[in-house]
Amino acid sequence: MPELPEVETICRGITPFILNKKITKIIINRTDLRWPIPKNLSSYLKKSVISQITRRSKYILLTTTKGTVIIHLGMSGKLLILPKNHTPIKHEHVIFHLDNGYTLSFVDPRRFGTILWTTNDPNEHKLIKPLGLEPFASNFNGSYLQAKAVNRKISIKQFLMNNSNVSGMGNIYTNEALFLAKLNPQTLVTNISAKQWQSLAKQIQVILNQAIEQGGTTLKDYRNSENQQGNFKVFLQVYDRKDLKCYKCNNIIQHFRQNQRSTYFCPQCQKK
DNA sequence: ACATTGACCTGGGAGC
DNA sequence: TGCTCCCAGGTCAATG
């Protein structure tokens, strides 16, 4: 489900409710997610205070006085701020009780998400360490992308979907960024000019910024920490617009399956 | 080292 | 109504 803008929206949404709050209790209803949730998370973190909430790629990091919680939402994960005595929700796997009367609840029907814990530098964690630059990092630009693509024999779509190249991009915003940069999703990375890399880097930032402003994209499931939908769906240029007219040129948006994922593009605006 | 495929899950919608 | 099939905002491990 959530890509960078959605995860960023969730981070911003939960921060006022959990920053500097003490974790009084953690209830774990099931541990068998993408990676097993540590059973003793509660004993590790009880009475610790959340001192910082940060996003790294699609991960949410909760820095506490006793270690760092690493959260990934997978395809269907939500983090909800709820009153302490709320009625249980289906698929509510982990519930952090806080000393302000709220809970931070992790709800994830498909269980592709996870919650992990480390006392070491989270940037050294095996899931975090391989990640590429954040798109809003000061050294993120066309040259960075081009250097990452040297000698690679893959399409630009596949390249962007790999978070060790750029972190935070998923299927929606990859499709959208390629449209804005006028690049065909099947173009091989070796055939992209420096100027095109530069444009792509710029458009990645543009699309992500716009989506963050709108609180992300809700196709079906995505909800922010207050269980509200994101508003960016109506701004999508190609994603989920199969057989509809391109807003720029009126040609018909095409859809096909590329590396097991849905790809949408305008054959006129994004020629090979 | 890199590219591709399978696997992990639940739920919703289309088609019959 | 109900059954089957296909699809979905992700990504790691195994395989070539």
Side-chain angles (χ1 to χ4, degrees), chain A residues 66-80:
Chain A
K66 294 186 177 172
T68 304
V69 184
I70 302 172
I71 303 173
H72 195 287
L73 300 172
M75 287 280 251
S76 58
K78 293 183 211 174
L79 278 179
L80 298 175

Side-chain angles (χ1 to χ4, degrees), chain A residues 194-243:
Chain A
K195 199 173 174 181
Q196 287 175 310
W197 281 115
Q198 199 179 352
S199 161
L200 180 59
K202 171 79 183 156
Q203 297 306 332
I204 286 170
Q205 294 177 330
V206 166
I207 195 74
L208 294 176
N209 266 322
Q210 290 175 348
I212 291 169
E213 274 178 37
Q214 297 299 324
T217 302
T218 297
L219 297 169
K220 284 168 54 180
D221 300 328
Y222 168 71
R223 295 294 185 280
N224 68 15
S225 57
E226 296 176 82
N227 214 24
Q228 300 158 329
Q229 303 193 13
N231 299 319
F232 197 66
K233 187 180 191 308
V234 294
F235 297 97
L236 296 176
Q237 302 287 301
V238 288
Y239 191 89
D240 207 25
R241 297 199 67 243
K242 181 188 178 188
D243 294 339

Side-chain angles (χ1 to χ4, degrees), chain A residues 21-28 40-50 84-86 94-105:
Chain A
K21 300 299 180 290
K22 187 184 285 182
I23 298 170
T24 53
K25 183 168 64 171
I26 302 175
I27 295 171
I28 302 177
N40 31 13
L41 194 63
S42 191
S43 58
Y44 294 146
L45 288 170
K46 201 173 169 186
K47 294 186 180 169
S48 66
V49 173
I50 300 171
K84 188 171 61 179
N85 296 318
H86 62 273
V94 180
I95 306 167
F96 295 85
H97 282 255
L98 304 169
D99 64 353
N100 60 351
Y102 287 101
T103 68
L104 180 69
S105 287

Side-chain angles (χ1 to χ4, degrees), chain A residues 161-222:
Chain A
M161 292 286 285
N162 183 340
N163 278 245
S164 68
N165 298 320
V166 197
S167 59
M169 298 287 283
N171 207 24
I172 294 181
Y173 301 109
T174 296
N175 277 284
E176 294 296 309
L178 290 173
F179 174 81
L180 293 182
K182 301 180 165 62
L183 283 167
N184 185 286
Q186 288 183 296
T187 303
L188 296 178
V189 288
T190 44
N191 294 336
I192 294 176
S193 68
K195 199 173 174 181
Q196 287 175 310
W197 281 115
Q198 199 179 352
S199 161
L200 180 59
K202 171 79 183 156
Q203 297 306 332
I204 286 170
Q205 294 177 330
V206 166
I207 195 74
L208 294 176
N209 266 322
Q210 290 175 348
I212 291 169
E213 274 178 37
Q214 297 299 324
T217 302
T218 297
L219 297 169
K220 284 168 54 180
D221 300 328
Y222 168 71

